[in-house]
Amino acid sequence: MPATTDRATAPAKKPAPAAAHDEGAIVMTRTFDAPRALVFKMWTEPEHVARWFGCAGSTIESFKRDLRVGGEYRIAWRKDDGSEQSLCGVYREIAPPERLVFTWVRPGAENDPDYETLVTVTFAERGGKTEMTLRHASFQSTETRNLHRDGWTTCFDNMGHYLKSAGA
């Protein structure tokens, strides 16, 4: 006899919590005319990261990483005004060339509610091109989230120019 479910007594499903968290997240998608493996490497190889990462008026000074789950990364840059900034984090998931997940930590900002956030980047093959989707989540401040959105927009523009100049 097949099992039946009494819908009247089944517990009601709770709404998905993701909707509430999406307000504190940036979700951006870009398509690059480059192979997925190369776009993935843009995030993991120092010589590539130095060419696209950073806001306008900044230069990458160093990018060190231990590319394994639980491994740490640290990136430092200098702005045109001479000031230096850095960020670091821990790789939570590495699935080349499909997915990269890592924490985003701003050293020295431990009292800021946006001190640590989470970045998930996925890479999908789309007819010889790569659709890259970034989800930068857990922002408590709308202002900080919007600043990061602007920063990521600049970074992705830079990545597109770099990929074109590299002949990808």
Side-chain angles (χ1 to χ4, degrees), residues 69-112:
V69 173
E72 297 180 0
Y73 74 91
R74 178 173 293 276
I75 189 165
W77 62 94
R78 181 181 310 274
K79 295 176 115 182
D80 285 347
D81 66 7
S83 64
E84 295 180 356
Q85 292 185 309
S86 66
L87 67 95
C88 59
V90 174
Y91 292 106
R92 297 253 179 104
E93 184 179 341
I94 303 168
E98 299 170 3
R99 186 174 164 93
L100 187 63
V101 181
F102 53 92
T103 60
W104 176 280
V105 178
R106 296 180 311 129
E110 290 80 3
N111 294 325
D112 185 323

Side-chain angles (χ1 to χ4, degrees), residues 4-13:
T4 60
T5 303
D6 182 354
R7 294 179 191 255
T9 60
K13 287 187 177 182

Side-chain angles (χ1 to χ4, degrees), residues 7-144:
R7 294 179 191 255
T9 60
K13 287 187 177 182
K14 294 181 182 178
H21 293 162
D22 284 345
E23 291 178 16
I26 300 164
V27 179
M28 301 175 69
T29 299
R30 285 280 180 102
T31 300
F32 296 103
D33 191 9
R36 184 168 65 154
L38 177 58
V39 178
F40 184 89
K41 287 178 182 180
M42 292 290 119
W43 290 86
T44 60
E45 294 186 2
E47 64 273 16
H48 292 311
V49 171
R51 299 292 303 271
W52 68 268
F53 186 86
C55 298
S58 65
T59 304
I60 299 301
E61 296 287 315
S62 67
F63 174 58
K64 298 177 183 176
R65 48 74 174 134
D66 179 4
L67 192 59
R68 62 181 176 82
V69 173
E72 297 180 0
Y73 74 91
R74 178 173 293 276
I75 189 165
W77 62 94
R78 181 181 310 274
K79 295 176 115 182
D80 285 347
D81 66 7
S83 64
E84 295 180 356
Q85 292 185 309
S86 66
L87 67 95
C88 59
V90 174
Y91 292 106
R92 297 253 179 104
E93 184 179 341
I94 303 168
E98 299 170 3
R99 186 174 164 93
L100 187 63
V101 181
F102 53 92
T103 60
W104 176 280
V105 178
R106 296 180 311 129
E110 290 80 3
N111 294 325
D112 185 323
D114 291 321
Y115 163 69
E116 182 175 333
T117 52
L118 185 68
V119 177
T120 301
V121 189
T122 58
F123 308 86
E125 180 71 30
R126 299 284 187 248
K129 298 181 180 187
T130 303
E131 181 182 87
M132 182 183 78
T133 300
L134 172 128
R135 184 174 195 277
H136 193 158
S138 304
F139 288 103
Q140 303 302 308
S141 159
T142 301
E143 179 182 358
T144 302

Side-chain angles (χ1 to χ4, degrees), residues 33 159-168:
D33 191 9
M159 184 185 292
H161 295 305
Y162 173 53
L163 284 165
K164 284 180 186 173
S165 71

